[in-house]
Amino acid sequence: MSSKTKTQVIIAGKIYTVSGYESEEYLQKVAAYLNSKISEFRSADGYSRLSPEMRGILMNLNTVDEYFKMQKKVEELEKETAAKDREVYELKHELITSRIRLESAEKEVSSLQERLTEEEKKTIQLEAQLKSQSR
């Protein structure tokens, strides 16, 4: 298990000490994201007139909304990935089947070529016999 990281971050102009098992860079990134959301809300009309409790609720609702939307995107991407994995599997299977058929056809062609060569030899022998008999 990795060690716990403790770092100071600035959120909404105040310094907080946060800790977690993630890297300091990650914790700073989370704080920066939160600051951007706070700035976004502060620029909205009427936000400053809301009570601190209502501001917190709106921030939480927004965060949960974004989380659910991202979760849905992840699920969709996982489905797409699974579909593409199935498609790749089917294409690999088709490729293997085609290779087997090709190898089989190549063997058959080789066998037929050998047979043709043998038949050509027999034809030459028979023609030679016919020539010698007709003399």
Side-chain angles (χ1 to χ4, degrees), residues 26-77:
Y26 177 80
L27 295 173
Q28 291 292 343
K29 185 177 176 180
V30 170
Y33 177 79
L34 186 55
N35 279 321
S36 73
K37 294 311 283 179
I38 290 170
S39 292
E40 182 183 315
F41 272 88
R42 282 183 176 166
S43 67
D45 291 337
Y47 181 77
S48 60
R49 290 189 298 268
L50 296 174
S51 69
E53 180 184 14
M54 191 59 166
R55 291 179 194 169
I57 289 172
L58 286 175
M59 283 288 293
N60 288 332
L61 280 172
N62 185 267
T63 303
V64 171
D65 177 53
E66 285 182 5
Y67 171 78
F68 285 145
K69 286 176 181 173
M70 287 297 128
Q71 191 175 36
K72 184 177 180 180
K73 282 184 182 179
V74 166
E75 289 170 3
E76 289 169 358
L77 289 172

Side-chain angles (χ1 to χ4, degrees), residues 90-102:
E90 290 168 2
L91 288 171
K92 284 181 180 178
H93 181 70
E94 187 178 320
L95 177 62
I96 291 168
T97 301
S98 296
R99 282 184 181 166
I100 291 170
R101 282 196 309 245
L102 176 61

Side-chain angles (χ1 to χ4, degrees), residues 5-16:
T5 304
K6 194 181 242 187
T7 190
Q8 288 188 333
V9 297
I10 299 173
I11 299 173
K14 294 182 183 175
I15 297 174
Y16 294 92

Side-chain angles (χ1 to χ4, degrees), residues 109-129:
V109 166
S110 178
S111 174
L112 289 170
Q113 284 175 335
E114 287 175 13
R115 200 166 135 205
L116 177 61
T117 302
E118 289 300 315
E119 292 299 323
E120 287 173 343
K121 286 179 186 176
K122 285 180 186 178
T123 301
I124 292 170
Q125 287 174 351
L126 288 172
E127 287 175 349
Q129 284 177 355

